[in-house]
Amino acid sequence: PLPKEYTGVLAENGFNQTQYYDNIYNLLDENNVSYSVLDYQEIYNSTSYFGDPGHLNEATSGPFTALVAKDIARINNETQTINK
């Protein structure tokens, strides 16, 4: 995820983040590349999670790490099931 300050500067300079990722996903699809997307951008909706604009605070970092680990394990399990 990117801090709102960063995404704001990108937008001010003409960078369209949605279009950028759409282009990447289209290229992957055109080449039949299997992929998963972990999107945690919504975490920036709660400023109480952060010690500063780019770093989670101690109370949030552990649960967030556990969430990412759980999501990666789920993707790995799904991939192994498909490949059997």
Side-chain angles (χ1 to χ4, degrees):
L2 300 172
K4 289 179 183 179
E5 294 81 1
Y6 187 79
T7 56
V9 170
L10 289 174
E12 289 170 8
N13 287 282
F15 181 80
N16 184 320
Q17 188 174 356
T18 301
Q19 183 179 12
Y20 173 79
Y21 284 111
D22 285 347
N23 290 340
I24 291 173
Y25 299 147
N26 287 335
L27 284 171
L28 292 169
D29 291 341
E30 288 170 8
N31 291 285
N32 296 316
V33 175
S34 177
Y35 61 92
S36 297
V37 176
L38 299 176
D39 182 1
Y40 302 105
Q41 190 62 41
E42 77 280 351
I43 196 170
Y44 281 100
N45 293 336
S46 179
T47 56
S48 65
Y49 292 166
F50 294 88
D52 62 52
H55 298 91
L56 295 169
N57 61 37
E58 286 186 40
T60 307
S61 62
F64 181 73
T65 299
L67 173 65
V68 173
K70 178 181 156 191
D71 289 346
I72 291 171
R74 177 184 48 80
I75 291 167
N76 284 337
N77 288 335
E78 290 171 0
T79 301
Q80 290 174 1
T81 302
I82 291 170
N83 291 331
K84 286 185 177 180

